[in-house]
Amino acid sequence: MARYVTTVRTAKPPREVFAYMADLRKFAEWDPGVKAVRQVEGSGGGPDAVFDVTVAGIGYDPTLRYVTDEHDAPHNLLVVARSAVFTSIDRITVEPDGKGSVLTYDADLRLNGVLRLGDLGLRLLFAQIGDRAAAGLRRALGAAAPSG
């Protein structure tokens, strides 16, 4: 299993941040690993939203169908994609922070079946992918780079 968690503080209000994140069509704006997103069910982000997300791969660009499992606006979103190769579970939480918000993005990527033997390599690759996506997310939300 590979996991990547990032926290972003932004001056944007929670409802705006949540709406932006719940509409997975926006993923291509901030995640350089996302090549295209097409909504196949619903309209924008919502409890019935389903998206096909095409990601940059090695040798080919797989398309993952993300289904909204939890949509508790404006605080909690859970989207899940399953394929023959892996399962991706992304939890997004948004909390008020003074006049802005704190967004936590928790991504869990698991290889399926016997492919789990490649988990260590996946963890290393996922950390690099996550760092690039986190930087894009900070830019999209107008947040400062993390200190430290």
Side-chain angles (χ1 to χ4, degrees), residues 2 8 27 35 52 55 77 91 99 105 114 116 128 143-144 147:
V8 177
F27 274 23
K35 296 189 123 190
D52 282 348
V55 296
L77 176 71
R91 180 170 300 278
K99 295 181 180 179
Y105 197 109
V114 296
R116 286 189 182 141
Q128 294 172 351
S147 58

Side-chain angles (χ1 to χ4, degrees), residues 38-44 48-51 65:
R38 184 175 66 88
Q39 185 152 16
V40 294
E41 290 182 31
S43 176
D48 60 344
V50 178
F51 301 88
R65 178 151 294 177

Side-chain angles (χ1 to χ4, degrees), residues 14-73:
R15 287 199 180 280
E16 182 180 337
V17 172
F18 185 85
Y20 181 80
M21 297 303 296
D23 186 349
L24 271 58
R25 294 175 297 179
K26 305 291 187 189
F27 274 23
E29 293 179 7
W30 57 268
D31 187 339
V34 173
K35 296 189 123 190
V37 180
R38 184 175 66 88
Q39 185 152 16
V40 294
E41 290 182 31
S43 176
D48 60 344
V50 178
F51 301 88
D52 282 348
V53 179
T54 303
V55 296
I58 299 171
Y60 79 106
D61 299 332
T63 297
L64 306 170
R65 178 151 294 177
Y66 277 88
V67 176
T68 303
D69 274 7
E70 297 174 18
H71 186 277
D72 305 314

Side-chain angles (χ1 to χ4, degrees), residues 1-22:
M1 174 182 83
R3 186 168 180 213
Y4 190 89
V5 180
T6 190
T7 301
V8 177
R9 284 186 161 66
T10 177
K12 296 181 185 296
R15 287 199 180 280
E16 182 180 337
V17 172
F18 185 85
Y20 181 80
M21 297 303 296

